[in-house]
Structures are given as structure tokens and as C-alpha cells.
Amino acid sequence: MNSTQRQIAIIGGGLSGICSAYFLAAKGYEVAVIERRAHVAEEATFGDAGLLAPGAAMPLTLPGAMATFACRFRDEPRVLLAPGADFGRRRWMRVTRQAQQHYFAQNKLRLTRLSAYGQSLVLQLQAHHNLDNENGQGVFHLFRHPSEAARMTHLQQAAQQCEFKHQALDAAGIRALEPAFSSEATLSGALYYPEDMAGNCVLFAKQMRNAAQELGVSFHFDSTVTAIDAEFGGRLALSVNSPHLASQMRVDAVVVAAGMSSAELLRPLDTALPLQAIQSYSALVPVKNPDDAPSMALYDDSYKVAMTRLGGRIRISGLLGFVPPGQTLPPKALRNLLKIAGDYYPNAANYNQAHFWSNTMALLPHGLPVVGPTRHGNVFVNVGHGATGWAASVGSARLLADLVSGDQTEISAEGLLPRDVLA
């Protein structure tokens, strides 16, 4: 796959697909991005928390089985569950808890390294293309419950191995750095990462689309790939529903970066990725009192909620929902987002003017993305970055481009390859 004349199709116009297209085009490939929506970054990327934070990056962690079940009956649940039994979801959550019990430290270190690589690439791209950004410096990682604060040792070890500046703080220490912080919640611990960042992930994705187009990448919207078939001779035939593309597209290679649709496309190719659809919820509120608003981002580990300042607005994103997507957002999710924001910055914003939305993420049990070649050598995958996956998405996109071209990768892909996940 190292010929500069090869044609590559990328399925999915989120951040991972856009950046994969950019890095492949920079290597000389002819790249087309096929997106089912009318624009880029309208699904999982649109719901990204905006953290560009390798220090605070965490594999997915969930409360215990009884605590998760009890969330159904609470007004302020940490996880939203749909009523009824879902045995597939139960199996997935059991594997997730096994991963966090036995492999959390290892997976945290892998995610930190990937995210640090991605953060460095983002800063390089912003400087090289003179991109507008709303980056803010500094991220607080907060733990409400002692069981969650117990992981701080692993987080600090990962930070030390990656040479990240970090500091353990209590509420008074946070207020010394962020005077607007007013914690109504009891904290069991907190970590501060001064070099972690937060910003506007959607703006970055749209700007990277323009940068990719300047390299010759073509984008095809309102188009859905329904099947990938291997042809004699090694090429691939894509079945496409589109108002402006032919019903079949033949390419030399394909990168599947299509969220939950990735599993459906890869299953006939003997690659059964254990992806789980999870809802994430977000709110955007206008700043009311600038002096009482945060200047740095925070991530509440208990509720998986991030708060980031975007100029005159505050974005509150996170909270996991194992519920079907719907037109009406669950009232508990809306109350939770504003309650958590009010715990930390009660006078910062006009919370009654919040604009809400939700999106669907595709996550793997070990909480890491999967990137690289499948059992079909010219079918690649790049999916599973999560709600705080801005840095990891960019890092995995560059990693993927090197794997496609056969170049030496700048960081190890161990633990992220499809064969590792399937094993």
C-alpha cells in the first residue's frame, strides 16, 4: 500500500475520518471521504467534550453492577439505563469492568501516549495552517468518590512515565489556581494538569476539512456505504446510496471510521468489533458573570462530565446513557448536566438558557480506540475514541496513515490494533 497513486475511500466524516484523510493525502494518496450526513462533524465529533488533554484522558470506567442498576431509580444518576433487560449490554459492561480491574493501568498509559501524540499534532497543525482556535490551558480532573480517587495512583504513574506536569490538589488548592471554583460537592481527590488543554473540537474538525481539501481530498455528503466487498485482484467494491455517486465505487483500500455503522460494515469481512452504542449529552450556556466563570476546564470523573470555556459560552458535555437515541432528551440527563455545572460554578452562567443536544458514540470495552488493518489487509479501521477523544482521534489518524503506507510509526500501536481487540 505504499504507492502514491492508490485510491482510498474513508467512510465517515467525523474528526477521525477527516484527519485520516488529511494525513493520507499528505503522503500522496488519492482520498475520498464518504459521509452520510450533510456536513462533517455532525455526530460523535459534534458531542466531543473539547478536552485536548492527555493527562486527563481515561479509558472508560463504570460503577459496579449494583451501583449501575441503582442509577435507574435516582434523580441524579451517574449512568442512564433503559428499562428492561438487555443481555448484550450486560455482557459488554461485564467485559468493560474486567478491563478496568485488570488492565486499567496499562490501558491508561497507552491512551495517554496516544493522546499526547495527538495533542502535539494538533498544535503543529494549528500553527502550520494558521487555524483559529479557542484553546484554553489547564485541566482539573475531579473525583467525588473514594473508589474513583483510588485510581489517582495509576494516573500519576502514567503522567510521570510520559513526563507530564501534574499536581494533586484539594478544593482549596483548586481555588488558589481557579478563584471562581466553588465546590458544593464533596471531593475525594483532584489532579491538575497545567499543560492539558481544552478548546473547540468542532471548529478544528471543520478547519481540517478545508486543509484536507487543499491537499486534494474530495468529500461526498448525503452518501451511505452499505457494504464492502473484496474483488478478485485485491480491489474493493463499495455499495453506495447517494444522490450524486454511482451505486458502486471501486478503490484500492478503505478506512472505516463510521461509528456504530463500522461494526455492521466489518462483520461480513470477518471482523466483529465489540462496539457498544452509548448516548452522551451536552449543554451550551452563555456566561453571565465572567468573574465567576471558569478560565480552565474540568472533568468530573464520577459523572464523566467536562466543563470547557469557549469565549462567552460554557460547554458542559458527558454523562453516559445506555438508552436508545430519541427526539426527546431524558429529563434526568438535562438536570444532571446543569446540577454538576452548578456544583462547581453556580454563578457563572445563565443555566436556564441552556441549549441541549445528544449524540451517539461507539465505544469498545477496554475504553481505547481501535486503529489499523483488519484481517483484509486493505481494509482499515479507526473508531472508538469516546467523548474526550479529540487528541486520540488525531493521534490515531496519523498512526493509521503510517500503517497504511508501511512507514515506521512514531509511537507504538500495541494494544490499539484490531487483532489486539479481537484477541
Side-chain angles (χ1 to χ4, degrees):
M1 288 303 302
N2 56 5
S3 167
T4 58
Q5 301 303 314
R6 292 297 181 99
Q7 296 173 322
I8 301 178
I10 295 178
I11 305 172
L15 182 60
S16 59
I18 295 166
C19 290
S20 296
Y22 173 88
F23 288 122
L24 286 167
K27 289 179 176 289
Y29 291 96
E30 183 181 337
V31 183
V33 176
I34 305 171
E35 166 58 40
R36 65 181 181 178
R37 297 276 193 159
H39 303 283
V40 297
E42 288 204 339
E43 297 194 35
T45 300
F46 193 78
D48 187 89
L51 295 181
L52 193 61
M58 285 256 297
L60 176 66
T61 56
L62 296 169
M66 292 304 295
T68 300
F69 180 77
C71 285
R72 279 187 183 164
F73 310 103
R74 293 175 181 165
D75 291 332
E76 298 171 359
R78 295 160 62 194
V79 176
L80 272 66
L81 291 179
D86 185 332
F87 296 106
R89 180 188 67 207
R90 287 184 183 178
R91 285 193 298 271
W92 188 91
M93 294 178 75
R94 184 169 60 248
V95 175
T96 298
R97 294 194 186 100
Q98 290 171 350
Q100 71 187 47
Q101 289 170 0
H102 302 294
Y103 305 107
F104 175 81
Q106 174 180 277
N107 289 339
K108 163 58 182 172
L109 183 58
R110 286 171 174 164
L111 185 59
T112 295
R113 286 175 172 161
L114 177 66
S115 299
Y117 183 49
Q119 183 196 51
S120 175
L121 290 169
V122 169
L123 297 178
Q124 292 175 34
L125 290 166
Q126 288 177 334
H128 178 73
H129 292 286
N130 194 28
L131 304 182
D132 295 332
N133 67 74
E134 297 177 341
N135 295 350
Q137 196 85 15
V139 174
F140 298 106
H141 191 168
L142 310 182
F143 305 87
R144 294 177 185 245
H145 299 278
S147 61
E148 291 146 0
R151 290 193 293 269
M152 286 176 58
T153 300
H154 295 309
L155 303 182
Q156 291 175 294
Q157 289 172 349
Q160 289 168 355
Q161 290 191 47
C162 295
E163 299 182 351
F164 286 159
K165 294 180 181 178
H166 63 284
Q167 183 181 358
L169 298 173
D170 57 14
I174 297 173
R175 282 193 292 271
L177 295 169
E178 180 75 284
F181 184 82
S182 175
S183 177
E184 296 297 327
T186 300
L187 296 181
S188 295
L191 289 172
Y192 170 57
Y193 297 96
E195 295 179 350
D196 274 10
M197 306 173 74
N200 194 330
C201 180
V202 176
L203 173 63
F204 176 78
K206 292 179 178 179
Q207 291 173 329
M208 286 306 299
R209 174 205 170 175
N210 296 334
Q213 286 180 311
E214 291 175 1
L215 294 177
V217 176
S218 59
F219 286 80
H220 305 279
F221 297 105
D222 299 312
S223 302
T224 302
V225 176
T226 58
I228 305 170
D229 296 304
E231 292 190 328
F232 181 77
R235 298 199 90 201
L236 299 168
L238 308 184
S239 300
V240 185
N241 287 335
S242 172
H244 52 269
L245 292 175
S247 59
Q248 278 209 329
M249 175 186 290
R250 286 177 171 80
V251 293
D252 298 300
V254 64
V255 176
V256 182
M260 280 305 299
S261 299
S262 302
E264 301 168 17
L265 291 169
L266 292 169
R267 192 173 294 110
L269 299 173
D270 196 27
T271 301
L273 292 180
L275 290 170
Q276 171 71 39
I278 297 180
Q279 295 300 113
S280 179
Y281 305 92
S282 300
L284 192 66
V285 296
V287 171
K288 178 176 66 174
N289 298 312
D291 291 341
D292 294 325
S295 61
M296 290 180 274
L298 67 79
Y299 181 70
D300 184 317
D301 191 86
S302 301
Y303 289 93
K304 308 296 182 284
V305 168
M307 289 185 67
T308 55
R309 175 81 174 267
L310 300 174
R313 300 157 296 158
I314 297 174
R315 181 165 177 163
I316 312 156
S317 300
L319 189 63
L320 303 181
F322 292 85
V323 297
Q327 296 294 324
T328 303
L329 302 185
K332 286 185 178 181
L334 311 188
R335 289 197 302 269
N336 250 19
L337 288 178
L338 299 187
K339 182 264 181 190
I340 293 163
D343 281 349
Y344 300 122
Y345 299 98
N347 302 313
N350 290 309
Y351 294 116
N352 59 346
Q353 297 179 18
H355 173 68
F356 296 98
W357 68 95
S358 68
N359 66 284
T360 303
M361 302 182 297
L363 294 182
L364 290 149
H366 65 347
L368 303 179
V370 57
V371 54
T374 66
R375 291 189 170 106
H376 289 261
N378 56 347
V379 178
F380 298 81
V381 64
N382 188 7
V383 71
H385 302 89
T388 58
W390 180 359
S393 292
V394 179
S396 64
R398 175 59 187 272
L399 195 62
L400 177 101
D402 289 337
L403 291 170
V404 170
S405 64
D407 294 338
Q408 180 67 38
T409 60
E410 294 182 331
I411 64 170
S412 172
E414 183 182 0
L416 306 175
L417 297 168
R419 68 180 184 222
D420 299 328
V421 175
L422 295 175

